[in-house]
Amino acid sequence: MREAVNEILIRGTREQVQELAFDLPRWPSFLPHYRWVKVLDREGDRQTVEMACWRTGIPLKWRSHLWVLPEEGRMCFHHVVGPARGMDVEWRVVQEGEQVRVTIHHDLRLKVPLVRTALGRWIVGEVFVRSVACRTLAHLKRAVEQEN
């Protein structure tokens, strides 16, 4: 497994979805599994963020470079600290009629030797990434649709 993809349809507009999804420090206010998201640095259009969440009682924490590209409906991460170091993540937000398709694509080319193996990629991808991303999208959907 070299990639993990999560996707959801949300009733609303691209702008409504991006207003919540692309404002990372706000995530813990509507994503109950997130403990914090901190912007540590800004350099040009790149931010460095520290993120922490729970995966079924297991605390996770990582640091990423982040590029938010609202005009393109995209948000891109490159993990620089933590077990998923080297992983690239891209969010795409696309209007489809009265719904918005949100896709999160994780490229599991990891740098940490232990998790770079096929088993390590499976554990990171299936056990952690897919689970956290699924919860993130479900709560994002709930938050956007409650506003409508």
Side-chain angles (χ1 to χ4, degrees):
M1 170 191 218
R2 296 215 179 260
E3 62 182 35
V5 178
N6 292 77
E7 199 169 66
I8 199 163
L9 287 171
I10 300 174
R11 189 176 24 83
T13 66
R14 184 174 117 166
E15 292 74 21
Q16 289 172 311
V17 171
Q18 288 181 180
E19 183 181 329
L20 284 178
F22 291 5
D23 185 359
L24 274 70
R26 216 169 134 191
W27 280 17
S29 72
F30 66 93
L31 300 175
H33 55 297
Y34 267 81
R35 298 183 292 152
W36 71 80
V37 177
K38 299 175 187 171
V39 177
L40 303 177
D41 187 37
R42 294 179 194 273
E43 186 176 312
D45 62 349
R46 183 185 85 185
Q47 300 174 48
T48 301
V49 294
E50 181 178 85
M51 305 174 75
C53 72
W54 294 102
R55 197 297 185 194
T56 333
I58 300 169
L60 305 174
K61 184 173 89 168
W62 63 95
R63 192 169 290 174
S64 300
H65 292 313
L66 165 68
W67 295 264
V68 178
L69 309 160
E71 62 286 342
E72 297 175 23
R74 294 186 321 125
M75 178 168 60
C76 302
F77 297 86
H78 178 72
H79 287 241
V80 294
V81 174
R85 185 169 36 105
M87 181 170 66
D88 289 310
V89 180
E90 181 182 57
W91 282 58
R92 285 200 173 268
V93 179
V94 178
Q95 189 76 48
E96 294 183 0
E98 294 182 7
Q99 298 186 94
V100 179
R101 181 176 304 276
V102 182
T103 306
I104 307 174
H105 179 267
H106 294 81
D107 181 339
L108 298 170
R109 283 181 244 174
L110 307 169
K111 302 261 189 240
V112 177
L114 182 62
V115 297
R116 196 171 51 208
T117 65
L119 177 61
R121 280 193 312 272
W122 181 84
I123 290 169
V124 170
E126 287 297 320
V127 176
F128 293 102
V129 166
R130 202 176 295 275
S131 172
V132 170
C134 184
R135 288 185 70 196
T136 299
L137 289 176
H139 286 287
L140 175 62
K141 176 181 176 81
R142 184 174 301 121
V144 170
E145 291 183 354
Q146 282 177 348
E147 289 181 1
N148 291 336

